[in-house]
Amino acid sequence: MAGVVIVGGGHAGFQCIDSLRKGGYTDAITLIDAEPHLPYQRPPLSKSYLLDGADPDTLLFRTAAFFEEQRVEMRLGQRVESIDRGAKTLVLDNGEQVVYDQLVLAPGAQLRPLQIPADLADSVHYIKSLDDINGIREQLDAVEDVVVIGGGFIGLEFASTAVKLGKRVSVLVRGERILNQNVTPELSEYMLKEHQAQGADIRLNTRIETVNRLESGRLSILTQDGQQLECDLLVAGIGVTPAIGLAEQASLECDGGIRVDSYCRTSDPSIWAAGDAVSCEHPMAEGFTRIESVQNAVDQAKVIAANITGTPTTYDAVPWFWSDQYAHKIQMVGFHQGYDRVVQRGDMDSGKFTLFLYKGDQLIAVHTVNKPADHMAARKLLAAGISPSFEEAADESLKLNTLLKR
Ligand SMILES: Cc1cc2nc3c(=O)[nH]c(=O)nc-3n(C[C@H](O)[C@H](O)[C@H](O)COP(=O)(O)OP(=O)(O)OC[C@H]3O[C@@H](n4cnc5c(N)ncnc54)[C@H](O)[C@@H]3O)c2cc1C
């Protein structure tokens, strides 16, 4: 038996291995990942790993012994170049072929590169892989001025960590607000003020025109509206695109992501897909959607493992995400697209508050800042389809969990 072959050893790939074995799968499992490292967690890369200078081993899901015990053939540092669906065979970048019975695609997303002159491309740092962050860590001690391009979660997490490390940090944001696609204007504004209060120089509506290397070795950045900045370290966090090249090459159905059905199965019944690369339907979202989060990757991988081990299971977990910036834990649950009302619980000035997002009188998402109990209760409320009234949502004296007993 060729067994299950998993392409991608990130959050989805690792979870799939764990859940397959826990679900009683005894045939062969092979993991192939282009990175040379044992599977590791990405969220700490822009947070604690950078701040604490921790040992890379602290990022690992499990040590090498686990994969040996679980009889997983590890092919690290090897990239899958193509899939022959007829022969159920993968071709690797070293020319080797790997045969599968069931294939799980978990290739994640790839960096969107910053458009700058080719001779300076090496001067830009990104925040995606362990090697990226190790490259930044090597330089950080000698750095005073940092410019971050991008006002999304990862750019801002990196900015807050760099500020904590005593760096002078400027963030160039294309749009008129930070975290534009992910949170409400109220939360954007709140976090903007927090970044500014901590000393970050956030420049909204600012696009980069060009970058030059100065004789001093520093980089000079010219923006389209004529602002000039100098820095020792330039970091881009301008998003990712789903890694669908392999799926497209194999003529699997794709729509900007690898399209899967509610069982996380692709248009080929022997091929499954999970994680950032996947376009899926979700009972709480309209049409097909792509979710870039650890929880989504983990939940979809669990669904695949359950289906492979004989328990038909569909993907319907309520999606959630978190981000740490300074002393703020921001947690988001649900799909907020199309909300038409925000109900606030708690005072923003206290640094602890919850925003309930409604479409009509239906609760569709909840965003919290330093309110983990509200976040946990909101997950349960959304999963149960319970919408508090606007008055209940705003009432801090009402414990949200009590609404679950309705
Ligand atoms: C710095 C950082 C911070 C983050 N913080 C958070 C957070 O706080 N909360 C949160 O929910 N999410 C966070 N995320 C997002 C989260 O990490 C991703 O959503 C998650 O990793 C997706 O898991 P995945 O398994 O789909 O892909 P990944 O974890 O990206 O893994 C994909 C793997 O596939 C491999 N691969 C791709 N193509 C091939 C190929 N052809 N052959 C072989 N191997 C291949 C890649 O090398 C990679 O290791 C963060 C991401 C980053 C980069």
Side-chain angles (χ1 to χ4, degrees), residues 351-362:
K352 294 180 183 179
F353 59 91
T354 299
L355 302 174
F356 295 79
L357 281 61
Y358 289 86
K359 194 176 193 176
D361 55 8
Q362 176 78 36

Side-chain angles (χ1 to χ4, degrees), residues 32-45:
I32 309 173
D33 197 294
E35 290 191 38
H37 311 290
L38 284 170
Y40 63 89
Q41 305 168 61
R42 289 181 199 274
L45 294 178

Side-chain angles (χ1 to χ4, degrees), residues 226-237:
Q227 303 173 56
Q228 205 136 19
L229 295 88
E230 279 187 26
C231 68
D232 310 296
L233 184 72
L234 176 60
V235 175

Side-chain angles (χ1 to χ4, degrees), residues 9 31 33-40 56 60 74 76-77 129-132 134:
L31 178 70
D33 197 294
E35 290 191 38
H37 311 290
L38 284 170
Y40 63 89
L60 299 181
M74 302 292 277
L76 303 177
S129 68
L130 180 56
D131 290 347
D132 291 336
N134 284 342

Side-chain angles (χ1 to χ4, degrees), residues 8 10-12 33-34 42 47 80 107-108 128 154 275-276 293-294 321-322:
H11 287 267
D33 197 294
R42 289 181 199 274
K47 309 177 182 80
V80 178
K128 181 79 170 73
I154 291 180
D276 282 7
S293 81
V294 164
F321 185 87
W322 80 97

Side-chain angles (χ1 to χ4, degrees), residues 216-340:
S216 62
R218 280 159 63 91
L219 292 167
S220 163
I221 294 154
L222 180 66
T223 67
Q224 286 182 0
D225 58 356
Q227 303 173 56
Q228 205 136 19
L229 295 88
E230 279 187 26
C231 68
D232 310 296
L233 184 72
L234 176 60
V235 175
I238 54 173
V240 289
T241 52
I244 59 173
L246 203 53
E248 284 184 325
Q249 170 276 325
S251 301
L252 293 172
E253 197 180 335
C254 293
D255 58 1
I258 306 171
R259 201 178 249 219
V260 295
D261 64 15
S262 53
Y263 297 90
C264 293
R265 198 190 290 262
T266 70
S267 51
D268 180 325
S270 303
I271 306 182
W272 311 78
D276 282 7
V278 161
S279 168
C280 61
E281 279 182 299
H282 190 287
M284 292 175 68
E286 279 170 26
F288 279 78
T289 186
R290 229 174 38 75
I291 306 167
E292 288 169 15
S293 81
V294 164
Q295 174 265 347
N296 169 66
V298 166
D299 284 333
Q300 289 183 334
K302 287 181 181 171
V303 165
I304 292 172
N307 287 318
I308 290 177
T309 51
T311 309
T313 305
T314 56
Y315 174 62
D316 58 5
V318 182
W320 52 266
F321 185 87
W322 80 97
S323 175
D324 298 333
Q325 297 171 38
Y326 309 107
H328 296 76
K329 179 167 284 296
I330 308 168
Q331 292 172 294
M332 288 139 290
V333 55
F335 291 97
H336 70 279
Q337 287 74 16
Y339 74 91
D340 51 25

